[in-house]
């Protein structure tokens, strides 16, 4: 699962990362931008994670494979 932390003080948000990486980035943001304020805000959870589906490259590969198979069957 990927997590994204949103700052409670400004519009900053972390990129989609593991929970521990996103939390660390949130802590670093608060230390740099909002010193003395404990980290707050909210967390988004992307349950699909970063590897949840086919990308364009995989779909293109499948399309080419189907075209090659179709051409081979016509002979």
């Amino acid at each position: 699962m990927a997590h994204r932390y949103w700052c409670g003080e400004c519009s900053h948000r972390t990129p989609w990362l593991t929970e521990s990486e996103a939390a660390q980035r949130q802590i670093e943001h608060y230390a740099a931008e909002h010193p003395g304020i404990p980290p707050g805000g909210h967390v988004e959870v992307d349950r699909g994670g970063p590897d949840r589906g086919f990308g364009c490259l995989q779909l293109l590969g499948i399309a080419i494979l189907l075209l090659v198979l179709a051409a081979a069957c016509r002979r």
Side-chain angles (χ1 to χ4, degrees), residues 38-60:
H42 68 277
V43 181
E44 281 184 272
V45 178
D46 183 6
R47 299 196 187 282
D51 299 324
R52 67 177 158 207
F54 287 101
C56 291
L57 189 57
Q58 288 92 349
L59 291 176
L60 181 62

Side-chain angles (χ1 to χ4, degrees), residues 10-37:
C10 67
S11 61
H12 173 77
R13 66 180 184 264
T14 66
W16 290 105
L17 300 166
T18 65
E19 185 175 12
S20 61
E21 290 172 326
Q24 184 60 41
R25 293 263 188 109
Q26 180 78 332
I27 291 167
E28 292 168 359
H29 167 75
Y30 265 82
E33 301 296 325
H34 313 292
I37 300 175

